[in-house]
Amino acid sequence: MYRGTLTVHVPSSWTNRVQMHPHDEAERVVEGVINGFLLLIEAERVVEKQVDFNPDFLKNMFSKIDWKALADASKTMGYDELPDEVPDPSVLDSQFLQKFHHALLELHLEEGTLVCPETGRRFPVNKGIPNMLLHENEV
Amino acid sequence: MKLKQLESLLGNLQQFDNPKIELEQYPTGAHIASRMLYTAENSFGDVSNKVVADFGCGCGTLGLAATLLDAEHVIGLDVDDESLEIASINAEDLEVEMGLIQCEIKNLRWQGQIVDTVVMNPPFGTRKKGADMEFLSTALKVASQAVYSLHKTTTREHIKRAALRDYGASSAEVLCELRYDLPKQYKFHKKKDVDIAVDLWRFVPKPKHESSS
């Protein structure tokens, strides 16, 4: 698994919210891609990396996260400790925050693919870096 | 961390082996990078415990400066995979973490208000006209709290107008004017070193309303 070579990563919950659209796409739809879809993950190699626990940061992030997407992405990456239902924000206890922390910040997709559920467009991930360059005919 | 220490660490980073002229690849330089991030953190609190994105990160100088000033998470974005490779080596050398994404900034949409601060040294638009404005426009869409950017002083009025009128900025301030020392990198540079006046800008985006996803 982890060989200690490259330590850079993009946790799944960040990358799968990144989308590519042509600059002046206001009225246009690129191959049926409509703003609002999150990318699916096909994981080939996942690396677990230790990150300092910061509960204030986590509580702040909790309200910004699409819970279902995070839970699904984590499962795909081999971690299924997150509850499927969105937890009540008023009861974010330490035990929950540890799991949230792990899923959000410590699971890194080293090798795999991000897939747009709308178009099937695939974005490869190599050495932890997703390639999201659009082709000529997509812009 | 003290400014001098930050500048020293950044000064030891690896830079472009073969800078690509069409992408306007110039190293940001430890002097400017350290002052930019130091100001962002010490004057405005825009770095520590924040999510920071470095647009057009190149070899990662600005993003890595953010990690050294205790950003919670930093993501660098660049179109060039060779630069990203160097950025990842630099992160490893500093023993810090930085997420990297290969993409074109102008096509970027980032769902959710995840990114607090965008830092960038964008292309000036000398090779690809309007590149600087594309970066600024996207940065103001993505950042929820602040954008720090460098633009030629000669474009100051144009930048201010575009940011406030067209790109959704609620404020656009020049924090200081710097001399950007560009070493002779490309064959067409006649002088040995080119020294241009750049403005360090801080833009604040208007609050965004996120539709439920």
PDB file of all heavy atoms in Angstrom, chain B residues 30-65:
ATOM      1  N   ALA B  30      10.438  33.790  -3.510  1.00  0.00           N
ATOM      2  CA  ALA B  30      10.231  33.679  -2.070  1.00  0.00           C
ATOM      3  C   ALA B  30       9.899  35.028  -1.443  1.00  0.00           C
ATOM      4  O   ALA B  30       9.119  35.106  -0.482  1.00  0.00           O
ATOM      5  CB  ALA B  30      11.471  33.077  -1.413  1.00  0.00           C
ATOM      6  N   HIS B  31      10.472  36.087  -1.962  1.00  0.00           N
ATOM      7  CA  HIS B  31      10.263  37.416  -1.366  1.00  0.00           C
ATOM      8  C   HIS B  31       8.787  37.816  -1.449  1.00  0.00           C
ATOM      9  O   HIS B  31       8.160  38.162  -0.443  1.00  0.00           O
ATOM     10  CB  HIS B  31      11.143  38.434  -2.104  1.00  0.00           C
ATOM     11  CG  HIS B  31      11.027  39.824  -1.567  1.00  0.00           C
ATOM     12  ND1 HIS B  31      11.775  40.285  -0.507  1.00  0.00           N
ATOM     13  CD2 HIS B  31      10.229  40.850  -1.948  1.00  0.00           C
ATOM     14  CE1 HIS B  31      11.440  41.550  -0.265  1.00  0.00           C
ATOM     15  NE2 HIS B  31      10.504  41.908  -1.107  1.00  0.00           N
ATOM     16  N   ILE B  32       8.228  37.729  -2.655  1.00  0.00           N
ATOM     17  CA  ILE B  32       6.819  38.115  -2.833  1.00  0.00           C
ATOM     18  C   ILE B  32       5.891  37.111  -2.164  1.00  0.00           C
ATOM     19  O   ILE B  32       4.941  37.486  -1.471  1.00  0.00           O
ATOM     20  CB  ILE B  32       6.484  38.246  -4.336  1.00  0.00           C
ATOM     21  CG1 ILE B  32       7.152  39.487  -4.914  1.00  0.00           C
ATOM     22  CG2 ILE B  32       4.981  38.294  -4.555  1.00  0.00           C
ATOM     23  CD1 ILE B  32       6.802  39.760  -6.360  1.00  0.00           C
ATOM     24  N   ALA B  33       6.156  35.838  -2.359  1.00  0.00           N
ATOM     25  CA  ALA B  33       5.263  34.799  -1.829  1.00  0.00           C
ATOM     26  C   ALA B  33       5.158  34.872  -0.319  1.00  0.00           C
ATOM     27  O   ALA B  33       4.068  34.770   0.260  1.00  0.00           O
ATOM     28  CB  ALA B  33       5.759  33.419  -2.265  1.00  0.00           C
ATOM     29  N   SER B  34       6.282  35.065   0.335  1.00  0.00           N
ATOM     30  CA  SER B  34       6.259  35.090   1.794  1.00  0.00           C
ATOM     31  C   SER B  34       5.482  36.311   2.286  1.00  0.00           C
ATOM     32  O   SER B  34       4.666  36.201   3.202  1.00  0.00           O
ATOM     33  CB  SER B  34       7.681  35.078   2.372  1.00  0.00           C
ATOM     34  OG  SER B  34       8.434  36.171   1.886  1.00  0.00           O
ATOM     35  N   ARG B  35       5.689  37.438   1.643  1.00  0.00           N
ATOM     36  CA  ARG B  35       4.985  38.649   2.089  1.00  0.00           C
ATOM     37  C   ARG B  35       3.494  38.576   1.813  1.00  0.00           C
ATOM     38  O   ARG B  35       2.663  39.012   2.598  1.00  0.00           O
ATOM     39  CB  ARG B  35       5.604  39.890   1.429  1.00  0.00           C
ATOM     40  CG  ARG B  35       6.822  40.373   2.204  1.00  0.00           C
ATOM     41  CD  ARG B  35       7.865  41.072   1.348  1.00  0.00           C
ATOM     42  NE  ARG B  35       9.038  41.358   2.173  1.00  0.00           N
ATOM     43  CZ  ARG B  35       9.957  40.453   2.511  1.00  0.00           C
ATOM     44  NH1 ARG B  35       9.864  39.214   2.070  1.00  0.00           N
ATOM     45  NH2 ARG B  35      10.979  40.786   3.288  1.00  0.00           N
ATOM     46  N   MET B  36       3.173  37.981   0.699  1.00  0.00           N
ATOM     47  CA  MET B  36       1.759  37.847   0.325  1.00  0.00           C
ATOM     48  C   MET B  36       1.001  37.023   1.371  1.00  0.00           C
ATOM     49  O   MET B  36      -0.041  37.443   1.899  1.00  0.00           O
ATOM     50  CB  MET B  36       1.712  37.126  -1.021  1.00  0.00           C
ATOM     51  CG  MET B  36       0.495  37.342  -1.839  1.00  0.00           C
ATOM     52  SD  MET B  36       0.835  36.792  -3.536  1.00  0.00           S
ATOM     53  CE  MET B  36      -0.785  36.226  -3.988  1.00  0.00           C
ATOM     54  N   LEU B  37       1.516  35.839   1.688  1.00  0.00           N
ATOM     55  CA  LEU B  37       0.816  34.956   2.622  1.00  0.00           C
ATOM     56  C   LEU B  37       0.920  35.455   4.053  1.00  0.00           C
ATOM     57  O   LEU B  37      -0.012  35.331   4.842  1.00  0.00           O
ATOM     58  CB  LEU B  37       1.350  33.520   2.504  1.00  0.00           C
ATOM     59  CG  LEU B  37       0.698  32.616   1.463  1.00  0.00           C
ATOM     60  CD1 LEU B  37      -0.756  32.347   1.807  1.00  0.00           C
ATOM     61  CD2 LEU B  37       0.794  33.172   0.058  1.00  0.00           C
ATOM     62  N   TYR B  38       2.041  36.047   4.376  1.00  0.00           N
ATOM     63  CA  TYR B  38       2.218  36.586   5.729  1.00  0.00           C
ATOM     64  C   TYR B  38       1.193  37.690   5.995  1.00  0.00           C
ATOM     65  O   TYR B  38       0.588  37.756   7.069  1.00  0.00           O
ATOM     66  CB  TYR B  38       3.650  37.115   5.869  1.00  0.00           C
ATOM     67  CG  TYR B  38       4.118  37.239   7.284  1.00  0.00           C
ATOM     68  CD1 TYR B  38       4.497  36.109   8.010  1.00  0.00           C
ATOM     69  CD2 TYR B  38       4.187  38.480   7.920  1.00  0.00           C
ATOM     70  CE1 TYR B  38       4.930  36.215   9.319  1.00  0.00           C
ATOM     71  CE2 TYR B  38       4.611  38.595   9.225  1.00  0.00           C
ATOM     72  CZ  TYR B  38       4.990  37.459   9.921  1.00  0.00           C
ATOM     73  OH  TYR B  38       5.410  37.563  11.225  1.00  0.00           O
ATOM     74  N   THR B  39       0.997  38.535   5.017  1.00  0.00           N
ATOM     75  CA  THR B  39       0.002  39.610   5.135  1.00  0.00           C
ATOM     76  C   THR B  39      -1.406  39.017   5.229  1.00  0.00           C
ATOM     77  O   THR B  39      -2.214  39.448   6.054  1.00  0.00           O
ATOM     78  CB  THR B  39       0.080  40.546   3.919  1.00  0.00           C
ATOM     79  OG1 THR B  39       1.393  41.073   3.816  1.00  0.00           O
ATOM     80  CG2 THR B  39      -0.929  41.682   4.028  1.00  0.00           C
ATOM     81  N   ALA B  40      -1.685  38.042   4.386  1.00  0.00           N
ATOM     82  CA  ALA B  40      -3.014  37.425   4.390  1.00  0.00           C
ATOM     83  C   ALA B  40      -3.347  36.847   5.760  1.00  0.00           C
ATOM     84  O   ALA B  40      -4.483  36.933   6.232  1.00  0.00           O
ATOM     85  CB  ALA B  40      -3.080  36.318   3.331  1.00  0.00           C
ATOM     86  N   GLU B  41      -2.331  36.285   6.400  1.00  0.00           N
ATOM     87  CA  GLU B  41      -2.582  35.683   7.707  1.00  0.00           C
ATOM     88  C   GLU B  41      -2.546  36.722   8.822  1.00  0.00           C
ATOM     89  O   GLU B  41      -3.469  36.813   9.625  1.00  0.00           O
ATOM     90  CB  GLU B  41      -1.567  34.572   7.978  1.00  0.00           C
ATOM     91  CG  GLU B  41      -1.608  33.990   9.370  1.00  0.00           C
ATOM     92  CD  GLU B  41      -2.974  33.443   9.799  1.00  0.00           C
ATOM     93  OE1 GLU B  41      -3.877  33.272   8.954  1.00  0.00           O
ATOM     94  OE2 GLU B  41      -3.141  33.197  11.016  1.00  0.00           O
ATOM     95  N   ASN B  42      -1.524  37.538   8.865  1.00  0.00           N
ATOM     96  CA  ASN B  42      -1.360  38.423  10.008  1.00  0.00           C
ATOM     97  C   ASN B  42      -2.270  39.634  10.005  1.00  0.00           C
ATOM     98  O   ASN B  42      -2.672  40.112  11.061  1.00  0.00           O
ATOM     99  CB  ASN B  42       0.105  38.852  10.130  1.00  0.00           C
ATOM    100  CG  ASN B  42       0.922  37.756  10.744  1.00  0.00           C
ATOM    101  OD1 ASN B  42       1.076  36.698  10.148  1.00  0.00           O
ATOM    102  ND2 ASN B  42       1.421  37.953  11.934  1.00  0.00           N
ATOM    103  N   SER B  43      -2.605  40.129   8.822  1.00  0.00           N
ATOM    104  CA  SER B  43      -3.499  41.281   8.756  1.00  0.00           C
ATOM    105  C   SER B  43      -4.961  40.883   8.672  1.00  0.00           C
ATOM    106  O   SER B  43      -5.833  41.650   9.082  1.00  0.00           O
ATOM    107  CB  SER B  43      -3.152  42.168   7.548  1.00  0.00           C
ATOM    108  OG  SER B  43      -1.830  42.635   7.650  1.00  0.00           O
ATOM    109  N   PHE B  44      -5.230  39.698   8.104  1.00  0.00           N
ATOM    110  CA  PHE B  44      -6.634  39.365   7.830  1.00  0.00           C
ATOM    111  C   PHE B  44      -7.083  38.009   8.346  1.00  0.00           C
ATOM    112  O   PHE B  44      -8.253  37.675   8.258  1.00  0.00           O
ATOM    113  CB  PHE B  44      -6.881  39.430   6.311  1.00  0.00           C
ATOM    114  CG  PHE B  44      -6.631  40.782   5.712  1.00  0.00           C
ATOM    115  CD1 PHE B  44      -5.439  41.064   5.054  1.00  0.00           C
ATOM    116  CD2 PHE B  44      -7.578  41.786   5.823  1.00  0.00           C
ATOM    117  CE1 PHE B  44      -5.206  42.320   4.512  1.00  0.00           C
ATOM    118  CE2 PHE B  44      -7.357  43.047   5.272  1.00  0.00           C
ATOM    119  CZ  PHE B  44      -6.163  43.311   4.622  1.00  0.00           C
ATOM    120  N   GLY B  45      -6.164  37.177   8.840  1.00  0.00           N
ATOM    121  CA  GLY B  45      -6.552  35.863   9.344  1.00  0.00           C
ATOM    122  C   GLY B  45      -7.133  34.954   8.283  1.00  0.00           C
ATOM    123  O   GLY B  45      -7.992  34.118   8.561  1.00  0.00           O
ATOM    124  N   ASP B  46      -6.667  35.083   7.052  1.00  0.00           N
ATOM    125  CA  ASP B  46      -7.256  34.333   5.938  1.00  0.00           C
ATOM    126  C   ASP B  46      -6.555  33.011   5.630  1.00  0.00           C
ATOM    127  O   ASP B  46      -6.872  32.367   4.619  1.00  0.00           O
ATOM    128  CB  ASP B  46      -7.236  35.196   4.661  1.00  0.00           C
ATOM    129  CG  ASP B  46      -8.385  36.198   4.620  1.00  0.00           C
ATOM    130  OD1 ASP B  46      -9.461  35.877   5.194  1.00  0.00           O
ATOM    131  OD2 ASP B  46      -8.216  37.271   4.021  1.00  0.00           O
ATOM    132  N   VAL B  47      -5.589  32.616   6.480  1.00  0.00           N
ATOM    133  CA  VAL B  47      -4.844  31.407   6.146  1.00  0.00           C
ATOM    134  C   VAL B  47      -4.975  30.300   7.193  1.00  0.00           C
ATOM    135  O   VAL B  47      -5.391  29.180   6.863  1.00  0.00           O
ATOM    136  CB  VAL B  47      -3.342  31.724   5.905  1.00  0.00           C
ATOM    137  CG1 VAL B  47      -2.566  30.465   5.545  1.00  0.00           C
ATOM    138  CG2 VAL B  47      -3.197  32.759   4.798  1.00  0.00           C
ATOM    139  N   SER B  48      -4.638  30.588   8.446  1.00  0.00           N
ATOM    140  CA  SER B  48      -4.609  29.502   9.436  1.00  0.00           C
ATOM    141  C   SER B  48      -6.016  28.959   9.661  1.00  0.00           C
ATOM    142  O   SER B  48      -6.990  29.716   9.724  1.00  0.00           O
ATOM    143  CB  SER B  48      -3.987  29.969  10.741  1.00  0.00           C
ATOM    144  OG  SER B  48      -4.778  30.965  11.338  1.00  0.00           O
ATOM    145  N   ASN B  49      -6.105  27.642   9.720  1.00  0.00           N
ATOM    146  CA  ASN B  49      -7.363  26.905   9.894  1.00  0.00           C
ATOM    147  C   ASN B  49      -8.362  27.091   8.752  1.00  0.00           C
ATOM    148  O   ASN B  49      -9.546  26.785   8.902  1.00  0.00           O
ATOM    149  CB  ASN B  49      -8.051  27.272  11.208  1.00  0.00           C
ATOM    150  CG  ASN B  49      -7.200  26.867  12.389  1.00  0.00           C
ATOM    151  OD1 ASN B  49      -6.763  25.734  12.470  1.00  0.00           O
ATOM    152  ND2 ASN B  49      -6.917  27.816  13.258  1.00  0.00           N
ATOM    153  N   LYS B  50      -7.886  27.573   7.641  1.00  0.00           N
ATOM    154  CA  LYS B  50      -8.759  27.786   6.480  1.00  0.00           C
ATOM    155  C   LYS B  50      -8.446  26.783   5.382  1.00  0.00           C
ATOM    156  O   LYS B  50      -7.373  26.185   5.343  1.00  0.00           O
ATOM    157  CB  LYS B  50      -8.552  29.195   5.908  1.00  0.00           C
ATOM    158  CG  LYS B  50      -8.730  30.313   6.893  1.00  0.00           C
ATOM    159  CD  LYS B  50     -10.178  30.494   7.287  1.00  0.00           C
ATOM    160  CE  LYS B  50     -10.298  31.688   8.217  1.00  0.00           C
ATOM    161  NZ  LYS B  50     -11.620  31.821   8.785  1.00  0.00           N
ATOM    162  N   VAL B  51      -9.378  26.653   4.463  1.00  0.00           N
ATOM    163  CA  VAL B  51      -9.140  25.894   3.239  1.00  0.00           C
ATOM    164  C   VAL B  51      -8.667  26.895   2.189  1.00  0.00           C
ATOM    165  O   VAL B  51      -9.366  27.857   1.885  1.00  0.00           O
ATOM    166  CB  VAL B  51     -10.413  25.178   2.762  1.00  0.00           C
ATOM    167  CG1 VAL B  51     -10.151  24.454   1.443  1.00  0.00           C
ATOM    168  CG2 VAL B  51     -10.894  24.200   3.824  1.00  0.00           C
ATOM    169  N   VAL B  52      -7.479  26.644   1.660  1.00  0.00           N
ATOM    170  CA  VAL B  52      -6.861  27.595   0.730  1.00  0.00           C
ATOM    171  C   VAL B  52      -6.626  26.914  -0.611  1.00  0.00           C
ATOM    172  O   VAL B  52      -6.131  25.784  -0.658  1.00  0.00           O
ATOM    173  CB  VAL B  52      -5.505  28.088   1.298  1.00  0.00           C
ATOM    174  CG1 VAL B  52      -4.825  29.042   0.321  1.00  0.00           C
ATOM    175  CG2 VAL B  52      -5.724  28.774   2.648  1.00  0.00           C
ATOM    176  N   ALA B  53      -6.973  27.592  -1.687  1.00  0.00           N
ATOM    177  CA  ALA B  53      -6.694  27.068  -3.025  1.00  0.00           C
ATOM    178  C   ALA B  53      -5.688  27.988  -3.709  1.00  0.00           C
ATOM    179  O   ALA B  53      -5.816  29.207  -3.632  1.00  0.00           O
ATOM    180  CB  ALA B  53      -7.968  26.978  -3.854  1.00  0.00           C
ATOM    181  N   ASP B  54      -4.692  27.391  -4.364  1.00  0.00           N
ATOM    182  CA  ASP B  54      -3.661  28.142  -5.093  1.00  0.00           C
ATOM    183  C   ASP B  54      -3.944  27.917  -6.578  1.00  0.00           C
ATOM    184  O   ASP B  54      -3.714  26.824  -7.104  1.00  0.00           O
ATOM    185  CB  ASP B  54      -2.276  27.602  -4.689  1.00  0.00           C
ATOM    186  CG  ASP B  54      -1.120  28.277  -5.416  1.00  0.00           C
ATOM    187  OD1 ASP B  54      -1.362  29.118  -6.316  1.00  0.00           O
ATOM    188  OD2 ASP B  54       0.038  27.951  -5.090  1.00  0.00           O
ATOM    189  N   PHE B  55      -4.440  28.959  -7.241  1.00  0.00           N
ATOM    190  CA  PHE B  55      -4.794  28.855  -8.659  1.00  0.00           C
ATOM    191  C   PHE B  55      -3.568  29.093  -9.539  1.00  0.00           C
ATOM    192  O   PHE B  55      -2.908  30.121  -9.415  1.00  0.00           O
ATOM    193  CB  PHE B  55      -5.853  29.915  -9.010  1.00  0.00           C
ATOM    194  CG  PHE B  55      -7.267  29.534  -8.640  1.00  0.00           C
ATOM    195  CD1 PHE B  55      -7.552  28.481  -7.802  1.00  0.00           C
ATOM    196  CD2 PHE B  55      -8.333  30.273  -9.147  1.00  0.00           C
ATOM    197  CE1 PHE B  55      -8.855  28.140  -7.469  1.00  0.00           C
ATOM    198  CE2 PHE B  55      -9.651  29.946  -8.824  1.00  0.00           C
ATOM    199  CZ  PHE B  55      -9.913  28.886  -7.994  1.00  0.00           C
ATOM    200  N   GLY B  56      -3.297  28.146 -10.440  1.00  0.00           N
ATOM    201  CA  GLY B  56      -2.097  28.272 -11.260  1.00  0.00           C
ATOM    202  C   GLY B  56      -0.886  28.095 -10.363  1.00  0.00           C
ATOM    203  O   GLY B  56       0.034  28.908 -10.393  1.00  0.00           O
ATOM    204  N   CYS B  57      -0.894  27.020  -9.578  1.00  0.00           N
ATOM    205  CA  CYS B  57       0.086  26.867  -8.496  1.00  0.00           C
ATOM    206  C   CYS B  57       1.505  26.673  -8.998  1.00  0.00           C
ATOM    207  O   CYS B  57       2.449  26.893  -8.234  1.00  0.00           O
ATOM    208  CB  CYS B  57      -0.302  25.737  -7.559  1.00  0.00           C
ATOM    209  SG  CYS B  57      -0.269  24.104  -8.321  1.00  0.00           S
ATOM    210  N   GLY B  58       1.691  26.219 -10.242  1.00  0.00           N
ATOM    211  CA  GLY B  58       3.047  26.006 -10.743  1.00  0.00           C
ATOM    212  C   GLY B  58       3.773  25.030  -9.838  1.00  0.00           C
ATOM    213  O   GLY B  58       3.297  23.934  -9.579  1.00  0.00           O
ATOM    214  N   CYS B  59       4.920  25.442  -9.314  1.00  0.00           N
ATOM    215  CA  CYS B  59       5.713  24.579  -8.450  1.00  0.00           C
ATOM    216  C   CYS B  59       5.253  24.631  -6.999  1.00  0.00           C
ATOM    217  O   CYS B  59       5.902  24.044  -6.131  1.00  0.00           O
ATOM    218  CB  CYS B  59       7.190  24.933  -8.566  1.00  0.00           C
ATOM    219  SG  CYS B  59       7.764  24.792 -10.269  1.00  0.00           S
ATOM    220  N   GLY B  60       4.154  25.342  -6.748  1.00  0.00           N
ATOM    221  CA  GLY B  60       3.491  25.238  -5.458  1.00  0.00           C
ATOM    222  C   GLY B  60       3.869  26.280  -4.421  1.00  0.00           C
ATOM    223  O   GLY B  60       3.436  26.182  -3.272  1.00  0.00           O
ATOM    224  N   THR B  61       4.605  27.292  -4.795  1.00  0.00           N
ATOM    225  CA  THR B  61       5.159  28.226  -3.810  1.00  0.00           C
ATOM    226  C   THR B  61       4.101  28.859  -2.898  1.00  0.00           C
ATOM    227  O   THR B  61       4.257  28.846  -1.667  1.00  0.00           O
ATOM    228  CB  THR B  61       5.947  29.346  -4.518  1.00  0.00           C
ATOM    229  OG1 THR B  61       6.885  28.748  -5.406  1.00  0.00           O
ATOM    230  CG2 THR B  61       6.701  30.201  -3.521  1.00  0.00           C
ATOM    231  N   LEU B  62       3.063  29.406  -3.486  1.00  0.00           N
ATOM    232  CA  LEU B  62       2.053  30.098  -2.659  1.00  0.00           C
ATOM    233  C   LEU B  62       1.293  29.111  -1.773  1.00  0.00           C
ATOM    234  O   LEU B  62       1.070  29.356  -0.587  1.00  0.00           O
ATOM    235  CB  LEU B  62       1.071  30.877  -3.543  1.00  0.00           C
ATOM    236  CG  LEU B  62       1.654  32.051  -4.319  1.00  0.00           C
ATOM    237  CD1 LEU B  62       0.589  32.679  -5.217  1.00  0.00           C
ATOM    238  CD2 LEU B  62       2.223  33.102  -3.388  1.00  0.00           C
ATOM    239  N   GLY B  63       0.887  27.992  -2.350  1.00  0.00           N
ATOM    240  CA  GLY B  63       0.157  26.986  -1.584  1.00  0.00           C
ATOM    241  C   GLY B  63       0.990  26.439  -0.442  1.00  0.00           C
ATOM    242  O   GLY B  63       0.503  26.244   0.679  1.00  0.00           O
ATOM    243  N   LEU B  64       2.263  26.215  -0.705  1.00  0.00           N
ATOM    244  CA  LEU B  64       3.140  25.686   0.336  1.00  0.00           C
ATOM    245  C   LEU B  64       3.345  26.727   1.429  1.00  0.00           C
ATOM    246  O   LEU B  64       3.406  26.379   2.616  1.00  0.00           O
ATOM    247  CB  LEU B  64       4.471  25.250  -0.272  1.00  0.00           C
ATOM    248  CG  LEU B  64       4.326  24.008  -1.171  1.00  0.00           C
ATOM    249  CD1 LEU B  64       5.571  23.803  -2.022  1.00  0.00           C
ATOM    250  CD2 LEU B  64       4.029  22.761  -0.361  1.00  0.00           C
ATOM    251  N   ALA B  65       3.428  27.979   1.052  1.00  0.00           N
ATOM    252  CA  ALA B  65       3.507  29.043   2.063  1.00  0.00           C
ATOM    253  C   ALA B  65       2.271  28.994   2.955  1.00  0.00           C
ATOM    254  O   ALA B  65       2.358  29.178   4.170  1.00  0.00           O
ATOM    255  CB  ALA B  65       3.635  30.411   1.399  1.00  0.00           C
TER     256      ALA B  65
END
